[in-house]
Amino acid sequence: MEKVIIITGASRGIGAASALLAAKQNYAVCVNYQNDKAAAEKVVSTIQAAGSKAVAVAADVSKEADVKRLFAVTESELGPITGLVNNAGVLDQQTKFENMSVERWQRIFNINVIGSMLCAREAILRMSTQHGGQGGAIVNVSSTASFIGGPNEYVDYAASKGAIDSLTIGLAKEVAAEGIRVNAVRPGMIYTDIHASGGEPGRVDRLKEAIPMKRGGTAEEVANAIMWLLSEEASYCSGSFIELAGARR
Ligand code: NAP
């Protein structure tokens, strides 16, 4: 059976690196994105040029109708889904908790938490052996922020990743007997564009001396762990977390 996966937020960063690696490992890949069509199409054309199957699908993961369409289009273009990477995630300007608005919290939780839950639900409805599926795997992208807490920068984002950790633990237990494994990665400080959206593009370099390995990580280093968790090599691994943080805790 062909392995078909959806990677949310795959137009750049960790999602794009995971999509490129997945294609090398013979997965057919749906490259989901929200806004940056050109970047998503570039990821798809790179995959197709190397002889693998990929499709770019725009969908806001926080919108139920978008997520249903994302899964329907992927299945009609690539075939039955065997895996999901819940990677799309956002943070906001670094600031103290007392300055944050309800609108900011709602946006972060809608995308990071509800978005992951909507995608997981669609994946389970298709992959669960109780629904006639063939089983599969889900990898959630959490963060070391879930236990470090993001003080003075983005406690709200950290709290959303705490929710992702609980989601991973609970879902792993709930669907284990339905042929679905659920795991998560917790990246630490990784060189991607996400730090610019927090207002500090150079954040990793500013803080790298505090990382025991004295360097930030790459999107490819995170992608390696994501793809291992998705693969059959991780067949007895569920409800687990891999930290990619250079020993920073
Ligand atoms: P990034 O470079 O900012 O990329 C974010 C991706 O998410 C983009 O492809 C973006 O697509 C997409 N996206 C944003 N909102 C979306 C929505 N509502 N629906 C669908 N897609 C959406 O971020 P990254 O650093 O690769 O982060 C990926 C994941 O790793 C996130 O969950 C993040 O929290 C987590 N993480 C990152 C780090 C780090 O240091 N970089 C550390 C720990 C955890 P468009 O641009 O097209 O909208």
Side-chain angles (χ1 to χ4, degrees):
M1 191 179 70
E2 187 160 38
K3 296 175 291 182
V4 176
I5 59 173
I6 293 176
I7 304 179
T8 64
S11 55
R12 61 172 188 266
I14 292 167
S18 301
L20 295 171
L21 181 59
K24 279 192 195 142
Q25 297 175 353
N26 296 319
Y27 290 80
V29 187
C30 170
V31 174
N32 159 254
Y33 65 101
Q34 183 181 20
N35 296 311
D36 198 342
K37 184 173 186 194
E41 284 182 346
K42 197 168 165 216
V43 174
V44 166
S45 59
T46 305
I47 290 172
Q48 289 171 338
S52 296
K53 279 195 216 167
V55 61
V57 180
D60 178 347
V61 294
S62 69
K63 300 206 168 106
E64 186 173 21
D66 279 27
V67 170
K68 285 185 184 292
R69 182 176 44 76
L70 167 66
F71 277 75
V73 171
T74 303
E75 291 213 322
S76 70
E77 298 274 327
L78 302 176
I81 282 152
T82 60
L84 165 69
V85 181
N86 265 325
N87 168 76
V90 294
L91 47 73
D92 211 320
Q93 288 288 309
Q94 297 170 3
T95 189
K96 288 189 74 182
F97 183 76
E98 64 197 30
N99 300 325
M100 295 175 187
S101 67
V102 172
E103 291 72 28
R104 166 183 165 132
W105 292 339
Q106 283 169 336
R107 174 174 168 265
I108 287 171
F109 272 74
N110 280 340
I111 296 172
N112 297 3
V113 184
I114 305 284
S116 297
M117 292 165 72
L118 286 169
C119 291
R121 187 180 65 185
E122 287 306 308
I124 289 166
L125 286 169
R126 289 167 166 81
M127 300 191 305
S128 166
T129 51
Q130 277 189 14
H131 294 289
Q134 301 291 314
I138 296 173
V139 178
N140 295 324
V141 181
S142 176
S143 170
T144 52
S146 73
F147 55 81
I148 293 173
N152 303 307
E153 294 188 333
Y154 27 65
V155 167
D156 50 356
Y157 167 84
S160 78
K161 295 301 185 177
I164 292 298
D165 287 1
S166 301
L167 177 69
T168 303
I169 293 163
L171 268 189
K173 292 176 181 174
E174 187 166 313
V175 298
E178 300 174 34
I180 302 175
R181 295 180 300 103
V182 185
N183 292 288
V185 291
R186 291 194 189 110
M189 277 187 263
I190 311 300
Y191 287 102
T192 73
D193 292 344
I194 202 168
H195 306 288
S197 58
E200 189 186 5
R203 180 173 180 269
V204 178
D205 282 333
R206 173 174 64 86
L207 294 171
K208 69 180 178 192
E209 286 307 312
I211 300 169
M213 280 192 193
K214 307 288 179 204
R215 69 171 179 89
T218 66
E220 289 72 24
E221 289 175 310
V222 181
N224 283 329
I226 290 173
M227 292 314 301
W228 182 77
L229 287 169
L230 266 192
S231 78
E232 271 306 298
E233 287 180 26
S235 53
Y236 198 53
C237 184
S238 196
S240 292
F241 297 83
I242 298 180
E243 277 157 37
L244 296 308
R248 179 170 180 260
R249 284 191 69 89

mmCIF file of all heavy atoms in Angstrom, residues 117 120-125 127-131 136 138 140 165-183 238-240:
data_model
loop_
_atom_site.group_PDB
_atom_site.id
_atom_site.type_symbol
_atom_site.label_atom_id
_atom_site.label_comp_id
_atom_site.label_asym_id
_atom_site.label_seq_id
_atom_site.Cartn_x
_atom_site.Cartn_y
_atom_site.Cartn_z
ATOM 1 N N MET A 117 -6.194 19.257 16.621
ATOM 2 C CA MET A 117 -7.293 18.348 16.983
ATOM 3 C C MET A 117 -8.193 18.064 15.772
ATOM 4 O O MET A 117 -8.588 16.917 15.533
ATOM 5 C CB MET A 117 -8.105 18.960 18.137
ATOM 6 C CG MET A 117 -7.305 19.006 19.435
ATOM 7 S SD MET A 117 -8.006 20.069 20.714
ATOM 8 C CE MET A 117 -9.421 19.144 21.222
ATOM 9 N N ALA A 120 -6.272 15.722 13.526
ATOM 10 C CA ALA A 120 -6.177 14.374 14.117
ATOM 11 C C ALA A 120 -7.512 13.641 13.983
ATOM 12 O O ALA A 120 -7.553 12.448 13.680
ATOM 13 C CB ALA A 120 -5.753 14.478 15.578
ATOM 14 N N ARG A 121 -8.609 14.367 14.202
ATOM 15 C CA ARG A 121 -9.917 13.713 14.100
ATOM 16 C C ARG A 121 -10.160 13.188 12.682
ATOM 17 O O ARG A 121 -10.588 12.049 12.488
ATOM 18 C CB ARG A 121 -11.030 14.695 14.496
ATOM 19 C CG ARG A 121 -12.398 14.045 14.583
ATOM 20 C CD ARG A 121 -13.470 15.028 14.983
ATOM 21 N NE ARG A 121 -13.659 16.061 13.960
ATOM 22 C CZ ARG A 121 -14.473 17.114 14.095
ATOM 23 N NH1 ARG A 121 -15.158 17.277 15.217
ATOM 24 N NH2 ARG A 121 -14.592 17.993 13.131
ATOM 25 N N GLU A 122 -9.865 14.028 11.684
ATOM 26 C CA GLU A 122 -10.064 13.579 10.291
ATOM 27 C C GLU A 122 -9.176 12.379 9.985
ATOM 28 O O GLU A 122 -9.599 11.439 9.294
ATOM 29 C CB GLU A 122 -9.749 14.716 9.305
ATOM 30 C CG GLU A 122 -10.772 15.810 9.264
ATOM 31 C CD GLU A 122 -12.186 15.320 8.998
ATOM 32 O OE1 GLU A 122 -12.412 14.579 8.022
ATOM 33 O OE2 GLU A 122 -13.079 15.659 9.794
ATOM 34 N N ALA A 123 -7.931 12.412 10.481
ATOM 35 C CA ALA A 123 -7.002 11.306 10.214
ATOM 36 C C ALA A 123 -7.499 10.016 10.866
ATOM 37 O O ALA A 123 -7.475 8.945 10.247
ATOM 38 C CB ALA A 123 -5.608 11.666 10.730
ATOM 39 N N ILE A 124 -7.972 10.122 12.110
ATOM 40 C CA ILE A 124 -8.444 8.931 12.827
ATOM 41 C C ILE A 124 -9.672 8.338 12.123
ATOM 42 O O ILE A 124 -9.771 7.123 11.947
ATOM 43 C CB ILE A 124 -8.753 9.284 14.295
ATOM 44 C CG1 ILE A 124 -7.440 9.543 15.041
ATOM 45 C CG2 ILE A 124 -9.564 8.177 14.969
ATOM 46 C CD1 ILE A 124 -7.622 10.230 16.387
ATOM 47 N N LEU A 125 -10.585 9.206 11.692
ATOM 48 C CA LEU A 125 -11.789 8.703 11.019
ATOM 49 C C LEU A 125 -11.434 7.918 9.760
ATOM 50 O O LEU A 125 -12.161 7.009 9.358
ATOM 51 C CB LEU A 125 -12.730 9.865 10.670
ATOM 52 C CG LEU A 125 -13.474 10.462 11.868
ATOM 53 C CD1 LEU A 125 -14.164 11.772 11.486
ATOM 54 C CD2 LEU A 125 -14.495 9.460 12.411
ATOM 55 N N MET A 127 -8.079 6.486 9.211
ATOM 56 C CA MET A 127 -7.047 5.457 9.408
ATOM 57 C C MET A 127 -7.469 4.360 10.383
ATOM 58 O O MET A 127 -6.950 3.249 10.326
ATOM 59 C CB MET A 127 -5.743 6.104 9.918
ATOM 60 C CG MET A 127 -5.170 7.134 8.954
ATOM 61 S SD MET A 127 -3.496 7.714 9.338
ATOM 62 C CE MET A 127 -3.635 8.288 11.029
ATOM 63 N N SER A 128 -8.389 4.644 11.294
ATOM 64 C CA SER A 128 -8.749 3.683 12.344
ATOM 65 C C SER A 128 -9.284 2.382 11.750
ATOM 66 O O SER A 128 -10.158 2.397 10.879
ATOM 67 C CB SER A 128 -9.819 4.301 13.250
ATOM 68 O OG SER A 128 -10.400 3.292 14.042
ATOM 69 N N THR A 129 -8.798 1.271 12.290
ATOM 70 C CA THR A 129 -9.315 -0.030 11.832
ATOM 71 C C THR A 129 -10.792 -0.174 12.216
ATOM 72 O O THR A 129 -11.524 -0.918 11.570
ATOM 73 C CB THR A 129 -8.493 -1.180 12.449
ATOM 74 O OG1 THR A 129 -8.423 -0.990 13.870
ATOM 75 C CG2 THR A 129 -7.075 -1.210 11.879
ATOM 76 N N GLN A 130 -11.231 0.573 13.234
ATOM 77 C CA GLN A 130 -12.655 0.511 13.603
ATOM 78 C C GLN A 130 -13.552 1.198 12.585
ATOM 79 O O GLN A 130 -14.763 1.027 12.583
ATOM 80 C CB GLN A 130 -12.876 1.158 14.974
ATOM 81 C CG GLN A 130 -12.571 0.184 16.087
ATOM 82 C CD GLN A 130 -12.989 0.711 17.455
ATOM 83 O OE1 GLN A 130 -13.726 1.689 17.560
ATOM 84 N NE2 GLN A 130 -12.491 0.070 18.484
ATOM 85 N N HIS A 131 -12.936 2.017 11.741
ATOM 86 C CA HIS A 131 -13.705 2.686 10.686
ATOM 87 C C HIS A 131 -13.362 2.099 9.315
ATOM 88 O O HIS A 131 -13.547 2.760 8.293
ATOM 89 C CB HIS A 131 -13.421 4.191 10.690
ATOM 90 C CG HIS A 131 -13.918 4.886 11.933
ATOM 91 N ND1 HIS A 131 -15.250 5.085 12.188
ATOM 92 C CD2 HIS A 131 -13.259 5.391 12.993
ATOM 93 C CE1 HIS A 131 -15.392 5.706 13.356
ATOM 94 N NE2 HIS A 131 -14.197 5.896 13.869
ATOM 95 N N GLY A 136 -2.340 3.641 10.989
ATOM 96 C CA GLY A 136 -1.466 4.732 10.550
ATOM 97 C C GLY A 136 -0.751 5.359 11.727
ATOM 98 O O GLY A 136 -0.709 4.796 12.823
ATOM 99 N N ILE A 138 0.346 9.319 13.657
ATOM 100 C CA ILE A 138 0.228 10.778 13.778
ATOM 101 C C ILE A 138 1.443 11.266 14.558
ATOM 102 O O ILE A 138 1.808 10.664 15.582
ATOM 103 C CB ILE A 138 -1.065 11.173 14.533
ATOM 104 C CG1 ILE A 138 -2.304 10.731 13.741
ATOM 105 C CG2 ILE A 138 -1.101 12.690 14.802
ATOM 106 C CD1 ILE A 138 -3.630 10.923 14.487
ATOM 107 N N ASN A 140 2.679 14.793 16.321
ATOM 108 C CA ASN A 140 2.384 16.177 16.682
ATOM 109 C C ASN A 140 3.683 16.929 16.914
ATOM 110 O O ASN A 140 4.634 16.379 17.469
ATOM 111 C CB ASN A 140 1.543 16.212 17.964
ATOM 112 C CG ASN A 140 0.169 15.596 17.767
ATOM 113 O OD1 ASN A 140 -0.435 15.734 16.698
ATOM 114 N ND2 ASN A 140 -0.321 14.915 18.780
ATOM 115 N N ASP A 165 0.947 18.256 24.197
ATOM 116 C CA ASP A 165 1.498 17.106 24.925
ATOM 117 C C ASP A 165 0.372 16.237 25.484
ATOM 118 O O ASP A 165 0.394 15.011 25.346
ATOM 119 C CB ASP A 165 2.405 17.580 26.066
ATOM 120 C CG ASP A 165 3.732 18.119 25.571
ATOM 121 O OD1 ASP A 165 3.961 18.149 24.337
ATOM 122 O OD2 ASP A 165 4.565 18.511 26.415
ATOM 123 N N SER A 166 -0.621 16.860 26.109
ATOM 124 C CA SER A 166 -1.743 16.085 26.668
ATOM 125 C C SER A 166 -2.534 15.385 25.567
ATOM 126 O O SER A 166 -2.952 14.232 25.730
ATOM 127 C CB SER A 166 -2.688 16.991 27.454
ATOM 128 O OG SER A 166 -2.003 17.616 28.498
ATOM 129 N N LEU A 167 -2.733 16.086 24.468
ATOM 130 C CA LEU A 167 -3.434 15.488 23.326
ATOM 131 C C LEU A 167 -2.696 14.234 22.860
ATOM 132 O O LEU A 167 -3.310 13.198 22.564
ATOM 133 C CB LEU A 167 -3.513 16.523 22.194
ATOM 134 C CG LEU A 167 -4.151 16.070 20.885
ATOM 135 C CD1 LEU A 167 -5.652 15.851 21.071
ATOM 136 C CD2 LEU A 167 -3.912 17.105 19.777
ATOM 137 N N THR A 168 -1.382 14.330 22.806
ATOM 138 C CA THR A 168 -0.572 13.197 22.332
ATOM 139 C C THR A 168 -0.731 11.996 23.256
ATOM 140 O O THR A 168 -0.940 10.862 22.798
ATOM 141 C CB THR A 168 0.912 13.624 22.265
ATOM 142 O OG1 THR A 168 1.021 14.777 21.420
ATOM 143 C CG2 THR A 168 1.788 12.509 21.722
ATOM 144 N N ILE A 169 -0.663 12.244 24.551
ATOM 145 C CA ILE A 169 -0.749 11.149 25.530
ATOM 146 C C ILE A 169 -2.137 10.493 25.484
ATOM 147 O O ILE A 169 -2.267 9.271 25.400
ATOM 148 C CB ILE A 169 -0.463 11.691 26.947
ATOM 149 C CG1 ILE A 169 0.997 12.140 27.046
ATOM 150 C CG2 ILE A 169 -0.775 10.628 28.008
ATOM 151 C CD1 ILE A 169 1.287 13.053 28.248
ATOM 152 N N GLY A 170 -3.166 11.325 25.494
ATOM 153 C CA GLY A 170 -4.529 10.784 25.530
ATOM 154 C C GLY A 170 -4.917 10.060 24.262
ATOM 155 O O GLY A 170 -5.465 8.947 24.296
ATOM 156 N N LEU A 171 -4.611 10.689 23.118
ATOM 157 C CA LEU A 171 -4.983 10.055 21.846
ATOM 158 C C LEU A 171 -4.214 8.766 21.633
ATOM 159 O O LEU A 171 -4.759 7.788 21.105
ATOM 160 C CB LEU A 171 -4.681 11.003 20.678
ATOM 161 C CG LEU A 171 -5.782 11.930 20.193
ATOM 162 C CD1 LEU A 171 -5.338 12.607 18.909
ATOM 163 C CD2 LEU A 171 -7.088 11.181 19.998
ATOM 164 N N ALA A 172 -2.931 8.752 22.030
ATOM 165 C CA ALA A 172 -2.125 7.540 21.850
ATOM 166 C C ALA A 172 -2.813 6.365 22.535
ATOM 167 O O ALA A 172 -2.915 5.264 21.973
ATOM 168 C CB ALA A 172 -0.720 7.749 22.410
ATOM 169 N N LYS A 173 -3.308 6.587 23.746
ATOM 170 C CA LYS A 173 -3.979 5.507 24.486
ATOM 171 C C LYS A 173 -5.322 5.156 23.843
ATOM 172 O O LYS A 173 -5.690 3.996 23.739
ATOM 173 C CB LYS A 173 -4.196 5.929 25.944
ATOM 174 C CG LYS A 173 -2.889 6.055 26.711
ATOM 175 C CD LYS A 173 -3.136 6.574 28.128
ATOM 176 C CE LYS A 173 -1.815 6.720 28.876
ATOM 177 N NZ LYS A 173 -1.980 7.337 30.190
ATOM 178 N N GLU A 174 -6.040 6.197 23.407
ATOM 179 C CA GLU A 174 -7.394 5.974 22.894
ATOM 180 C C GLU A 174 -7.414 5.186 21.589
ATOM 181 O O GLU A 174 -8.309 4.378 21.368
ATOM 182 C CB GLU A 174 -8.099 7.335 22.706
ATOM 183 C CG GLU A 174 -9.560 7.207 22.350
ATOM 184 C CD GLU A 174 -10.300 8.527 22.494
ATOM 185 O OE1 GLU A 174 -10.143 9.208 23.529
ATOM 186 O OE2 GLU A 174 -11.025 8.890 21.553
ATOM 187 N N VAL A 175 -6.435 5.417 20.720
ATOM 188 C CA VAL A 175 -6.490 4.782 19.393
ATOM 189 C C VAL A 175 -5.445 3.682 19.201
ATOM 190 O O VAL A 175 -5.292 3.156 18.099
ATOM 191 C CB VAL A 175 -6.391 5.831 18.257
ATOM 192 C CG1 VAL A 175 -7.560 6.788 18.311
ATOM 193 C CG2 VAL A 175 -5.068 6.584 18.297
ATOM 194 N N ALA A 176 -4.755 3.319 20.287
ATOM 195 C CA ALA A 176 -3.697 2.296 20.172
ATOM 196 C C ALA A 176 -4.244 0.978 19.640
ATOM 197 O O ALA A 176 -3.587 0.300 18.836
ATOM 198 C CB ALA A 176 -3.028 2.082 21.530
ATOM 199 N N ALA A 177 -5.436 0.603 20.072
ATOM 200 C CA ALA A 177 -6.007 -0.674 19.636
ATOM 201 C C ALA A 177 -6.696 -0.560 18.274
ATOM 202 O O ALA A 177 -7.278 -1.528 17.779
ATOM 203 C CB ALA A 177 -6.986 -1.186 20.687
ATOM 204 N N GLU A 178 -6.627 0.642 17.678
ATOM 205 C CA GLU A 178 -7.245 0.853 16.355
ATOM 206 C C GLU A 178 -6.184 0.984 15.280
ATOM 207 O O GLU A 178 -6.420 1.512 14.192
ATOM 208 C CB GLU A 178 -8.128 2.108 16.388
ATOM 209 C CG GLU A 178 -9.253 2.009 17.403
ATOM 210 C CD GLU A 178 -10.041 3.302 17.540
ATOM 211 O OE1 GLU A 178 -10.202 4.029 16.542
ATOM 212 O OE2 GLU A 178 -10.486 3.601 18.668
ATOM 213 N N GLY A 179 -4.952 0.565 15.611
ATOM 214 C CA GLY A 179 -3.877 0.551 14.609
ATOM 215 C C GLY A 179 -3.210 1.892 14.383
ATOM 216 O O GLY A 179 -2.480 2.074 13.412
ATOM 217 N N ILE A 180 -3.449 2.851 15.278
ATOM 218 C CA ILE A 180 -2.871 4.191 15.077
ATOM 219 C C ILE A 180 -1.910 4.507 16.223
ATOM 220 O O ILE A 180 -2.268 4.392 17.395
ATOM 221 C CB ILE A 180 -3.964 5.276 15.008
ATOM 222 C CG1 ILE A 180 -4.950 4.960 13.883
ATOM 223 C CG2 ILE A 180 -3.321 6.663 14.790
ATOM 224 C CD1 ILE A 180 -6.139 5.916 13.826
ATOM 225 N N ARG A 181 -0.699 4.907 15.861
ATOM 226 C CA ARG A 181 0.283 5.376 16.844
ATOM 227 C C ARG A 181 0.271 6.908 16.846
ATOM 228 O O ARG A 181 0.126 7.535 15.792
ATOM 229 C CB ARG A 181 1.689 4.872 16.488
ATOM 230 C CG ARG A 181 1.840 3.351 16.568
ATOM 231 C CD ARG A 181 3.246 2.879 16.219
ATOM 232 N NE ARG A 181 3.654 3.253 14.878
ATOM 233 C CZ ARG A 181 4.481 4.257 14.573
ATOM 234 N NH1 ARG A 181 5.028 4.985 15.531
ATOM 235 N NH2 ARG A 181 4.777 4.536 13.321
ATOM 236 N N VAL A 182 0.422 7.486 18.033
ATOM 237 C CA VAL A 182 0.449 8.954 18.160
ATOM 238 C C VAL A 182 1.659 9.336 19.004
ATOM 239 O O VAL A 182 1.792 8.895 20.153
ATOM 240 C CB VAL A 182 -0.830 9.503 18.830
ATOM 241 C CG1 VAL A 182 -0.817 11.037 18.820
ATOM 242 C CG2 VAL A 182 -2.089 8.978 18.143
ATOM 243 N N ASN A 183 2.542 10.108 18.434
ATOM 244 C CA ASN A 183 3.758 10.541 19.125
ATOM 245 C C ASN A 183 3.970 12.031 18.882
ATOM 246 O O ASN A 183 3.228 12.652 18.114
ATOM 247 C CB ASN A 183 4.964 9.761 18.584
ATOM 248 C CG ASN A 183 4.911 8.289 18.952
ATOM 249 O OD1 ASN A 183 5.109 7.924 20.108
ATOM 250 N ND2 ASN A 183 4.630 7.437 17.969
ATOM 251 N N SER A 238 4.493 4.607 20.869
ATOM 252 C CA SER A 238 3.296 5.456 20.845
ATOM 253 C C SER A 238 3.170 6.158 22.189
ATOM 254 O O SER A 238 3.554 5.614 23.224
ATOM 255 C CB SER A 238 2.044 4.643 20.530
ATOM 256 O OG SER A 238 0.998 5.529 20.163
ATOM 257 N N GLY A 239 2.656 7.377 22.154
ATOM 258 C CA GLY A 239 2.576 8.184 23.369
ATOM 259 C C GLY A 239 3.937 8.689 23.813
ATOM 260 O O GLY A 239 4.118 9.068 24.971
ATOM 261 N N SER A 240 4.892 8.739 22.878
ATOM 262 C CA SER A 240 6.274 9.125 23.222
ATOM 263 C C SER A 240 6.637 10.493 22.663
ATOM 264 O O SER A 240 6.017 10.985 21.724
ATOM 265 C CB SER A 240 7.259 8.101 22.664
ATOM 266 O OG SER A 240 7.109 6.878 23.325
#
